[in-house]
Amino acid sequence: MHNYLEQIKETASFLVNEGFEKPVVGIVLGTGLSELVSHIQIERNVAYETIPNFPLSTVEFHKGNLVYGKIGGVAVVAMQGRFHYYEGYSMQQITFPIRVMKAIGVKHLLLSNAAGGINMGYKKGDLVLLDDHINLQPENPLRGLNLPEFGSRFPDMSEPYNKGLNDLIRQKAKERNLPLHAGVYASVVGPNLETRAEYRYIKSIGADLVGMSTVPEVIVANQVGLPCACVSVITDECDPDNLKPVDISEIIAVAGKADKKLSELFAAVIAELS
Ligand code: HPA
């Protein structure tokens, strides 16, 4: 873990030397969601492979880039592509970028993801603001020796998604007449989608949507005191009584269609942050 701390510091200095200067907002872009990058006046764009200690790319991540620039005058650092537990990384590896963001001065974290709709009020392409989550992944990024520099051994999770950020996101959605649900996200490992019985189970425990990411990052953001918020795009409707086969290409296509409205919403929110 001392080594992990050294790695965080080393990667942070590398990025600062590369010109990632005082980013205010950190952004993690989910599967099929990268249009926000077109709102950034890009100043730096570094491939994950060239960043020391960043997890090594898997096939899925040939497009992994860390982008630095401004949105509405606000300095941002955006992860174009995230790491998932199902790829075989450890929880510490997939959350490493969050600790690095904190170390280079990020003050707010915005995440996005593609998710399955468990709540039958949600339709494909809808946006959902997370107001809570249920961790169904079998591992935890905070497991192991906890150095004081990492934050509390037992972080509070009474408000995992920051109320101030969520209020701002809701306000910006309203100004744009953009429908935005609120819901509870259940995180599973994947990479398979769920069975009908699993969707019934996930619904019964109080979740509105399900996906394979985000929760580890949010746990770490809470430990390091980084206020965060997440907007999900519903890519498939998980109705156990009428379940149709879904293909990942379809999930990516639906996410791609909703990408524009999500990116405009995030850009409007970011312009208000400091
Ligand atoms: N289940 C899990 N993850 C997902 C889904 C789903 O139905 N849709 C998009 N990501």
Side-chain angles (χ1 to χ4, degrees), residues 212-234:
M212 305 172 194
S213 67
T214 306
V215 167
E217 293 143 336
V218 170
I219 290 172
V220 168
N222 277 268
Q223 189 194 32
V224 301
L226 186 54
C228 65
C230 179
V231 176
S232 301
V233 173
I234 299 300

Side-chain angles (χ1 to χ4, degrees), residues 230-241:
C230 179
V231 176
S232 301
V233 173
I234 299 300
T235 53
D236 51 304
E237 293 160 24
C238 310
D239 178 358
D241 299 321

Side-chain angles (χ1 to χ4, degrees), residues 114-117 188 192-194 199 210-212 235-236 238 246 251:
V188 293
N192 58 285
L193 297 170
E194 287 67 42
Y199 284 135
V210 59
M212 305 172 194
T235 53
D236 51 304
C238 310
V246 258
I251 287 178

Side-chain angles (χ1 to χ4, degrees), residues 234-268:
I234 299 300
T235 53
D236 51 304
E237 293 160 24
C238 310
D239 178 358
D241 299 321
N242 185 26
L243 194 60
K244 302 190 180 65
V246 258
D247 189 78
I248 185 69
S249 59
E250 202 184 320
I251 287 178
I252 292 171
V254 176
K257 275 192 207 152
D259 200 3
K260 189 169 188 288
K261 60 182 178 182
L262 173 74
S263 303
E264 286 173 0
L265 174 62
F266 270 12

